[in-house]
Amino acid sequence: MAHQLEVERLSHSWIEEIEATKRRLGDELLILAHHYQRDEIVKVADFRGDSLELARRAAASSAHWITFCGVHFMAETAAILARPGQQVLIPRADAGCFLAHSVDRVQLLDAWERLSQAIDVERELLPVAYVNTSAEVKAFVGERGGACCTSSSAGKVLAWALARAPKVFFLPDQHLGRNTAHALGIGDAEIALWDPNYPPEDLSQFRRARVILWRGACNVHVRFLPEDVTRVRKEHPGVRVVVHPECRPEVVRLADEVGSTSHIIRVVEGSPPGAGWAVGTEHRLVARLAKENPDKKVVSLGDPPPYCAYMSLIRLPDLARVLSGLLSGEEPGLVEVPEEVAGPARAALDRMWEALDDGR
Ligand code: 13P
Ligand code: SF4
């Protein structure tokens, strides 16, 4: 109890310091936070959202400094979309992402080269990269006419790509790719899996496939299993199941709803009092949903519930350090992408806006 009081006292003083710096920097500063961030970080942010909403918000902002409380690829995406003179900072540069780490440009060049022995890659194959990738991977995709997508834009982007090429190379999340393909009516017979660690000798399956998936996965979302759906339905009769599309297809197939983090929030918040939800996504979001919707039953689909270790890294002192640096003329945690990488990566992101047909 004494420990808890001490933690609250410290948090309170960090929050006061952050709020005071925010007042001093005014419109020059925008703090963005992803839904998986800690509660205290979300509380001091100007805006919280899913990956697509955060990218949009960053791109529309005229603030001089955008402090991104999320993982590195998200801050990098904001830096790629930033206007001249605008700076993006991340309080923990080591906040990575299991998916983003599962593919790099060298592996991708190797895959492209090997696939070219079976497919006319320049004419037949269009790459689509989940935003959970490095700027270099986005640039690779942009250079080849491909597009980026987020969990909430994957359907439209995959449809956009398939309207332009007979085959799509979707990377790096095999589950998001397969779930999105299924939703477009593409069955497993038309999908092939590319394992970058064990590239196959026999390439005939890639010649036949419409969608080639990179063998990557989010280690948080793969924790949810079909037996979890069976268990929560038994433990909480009447409960509905909502999951993120990074979950395994066997889980998505059993769920009542699937969508991005913001979609999950809308589904739970929009349901009537007394509704019950088992949620298959990162637990900081699920715990917050439970707290903010006391008239509903909100539980994790997982037992124990999974956390994203990278998203948990940013704490109040990390954010306070970035902001006090700005006051003293420094830019701690600056995220920089050289223009030769940012240019083609931006082209891939621009094609996502094109596929969404909303010009951002
Ligand atoms: P959203 O775009 O749904 O917020 O997902 C980001 C993410 O990293 C999920 O694990
Ligand atoms: Fe990456 Fe998974 Fe964490 Fe999302 S939850 S940021 S995909 S590791």
Side-chain angles (χ1 to χ4, degrees):
M1 189 63 184
H3 165 77
Q4 184 58 26
L5 283 175
E6 177 63 5
V7 170
E8 276 172 25
R9 193 186 60 75
L10 274 174
S11 287
H12 188 71
S13 66
W14 285 120
I15 289 171
E16 278 194 344
E17 182 184 326
I18 290 166
E19 292 296 350
T21 315
K22 281 176 68 179
R23 280 193 296 277
R24 283 184 64 184
L25 293 172
D27 292 344
E28 291 288 273
L29 173 71
L30 175 71
I31 302 180
L32 299 176
H34 186 264
H35 292 306
Y36 293 164
Q37 289 289 292
R38 293 174 179 274
D39 282 350
E40 61 273 26
I41 297 291
V42 161
K43 218 177 277 172
V44 294
D46 298 305
F47 180 76
R48 60 170 125 156
D50 67 10
S51 308
L52 183 66
E53 291 164 345
L54 291 170
R56 268 193 221 278
R57 190 63 178 240
S61 167
S62 53
H64 182 66
W65 292 291
I66 298 174
T67 300
F68 212 114
C69 299
V71 288
H72 196 264
F73 76 81
M74 296 180 176
E76 218 176 34
T77 301
I80 292 164
L81 297 171
R83 293 153 204 239
Q86 207 167 34
Q87 307 289 20
V88 177
L89 309 115
I90 186 164
R92 287 288 298 253
D94 52 347
C97 164
F98 288 98
L99 272 170
H101 298 167
S102 72
V103 53
D104 64 34
R105 195 179 163 99
V106 173
Q107 287 173 304
L108 204 41
L109 279 165
D110 178 63
W112 203 253
E113 171 66 27
R114 287 175 192 267
L115 283 169
S116 71
Q117 291 159 24
I119 302 166
D120 180 350
V121 288
E122 301 308 323
R123 288 207 313 218
E124 283 185 285
L125 190 61
L126 205 55
V128 168
Y130 193 23
V131 280
N132 300 39
T133 44
S134 66
E136 286 79 12
V137 167
K138 290 183 178 73
F140 176 97
V141 167
E143 284 157 8
R144 285 158 185 79
C148 284
C149 73
T150 68
S151 65
S152 58
S153 62
K156 284 193 173 167
V157 174
L158 185 57
W160 172 95
L162 285 168
R164 280 157 184 80
K167 294 170 187 293
V168 168
F169 195 7
F170 189 98
L171 53 118
D173 188 0
Q174 58 173 310
H175 299 316
L176 175 66
R178 195 177 294 272
N179 289 326
T180 309
H182 286 171
L184 292 179
I186 298 167
D188 287 334
E190 294 181 287
I191 300 174
L193 193 60
W194 179 265
D195 187 334
N197 297 315
Y198 301 98
E201 294 286 319
D202 177 10
L203 297 172
S204 53
Q205 55 170 320
F206 303 103
R207 218 171 277 130
R208 285 192 302 269
R210 279 179 80 195
V211 177
I212 301 172
L213 304 172
W214 190 266
R215 190 169 195 165
C218 161
N219 78 334
V220 175
H221 289 89
V222 292
R223 294 269 305 280
F224 303 110
L225 300 173
E227 39 276 39
D228 287 317
V229 180
T230 318
R231 178 182 47 75
V232 290
R233 287 197 170 129
K234 209 152 116 195
E235 285 174 3
H236 307 280
V239 81
R240 303 189 75 212
V241 176
V242 56
V243 299
H244 194 275
E246 286 173 17
C247 289
R248 298 167 191 269
E250 313 87 272
V251 172
V252 169
R253 206 172 302 125
L254 294 174
D256 300 289
E257 286 274 351
V258 56
S260 78
T261 51
S262 285
H263 179 81
I264 291 172
I265 294 170
R266 281 193 293 274
V267 162
V268 173
E269 288 182 347
S271 62
W277 290 100
V279 186
T281 198
E282 206 272 348
H283 197 59
R284 287 192 200 280
L285 170 55
V286 182
R288 188 174 317 120
L289 269 174
K291 208 154 57 181
E292 291 179 353
N293 292 272
D295 59 336
K296 290 155 204 163
K297 179 191 272 184
V298 181
V299 297
S300 175
L301 178 60
D303 182 17
Y307 288 89
C308 174
Y310 291 119
M311 283 280 185
S312 300
L313 283 175
I314 298 177
R315 291 173 177 271
L316 289 171
D318 302 307
L319 178 56
R321 183 182 51 83
V322 168
L323 301 191
S324 71
L326 295 180
L327 284 182
S328 43
E330 294 156 23
E331 290 179 327
L334 189 62
V335 179
E336 287 175 296
V337 183
E339 189 48 35
E340 65 268 25
V341 176
R346 197 177 301 119
L349 286 162
D350 282 346
R351 290 188 198 107
M352 171 172 77
W353 310 125
E354 184 191 321
L356 290 172
D357 198 23
D358 62 2
R360 278 185 202 171

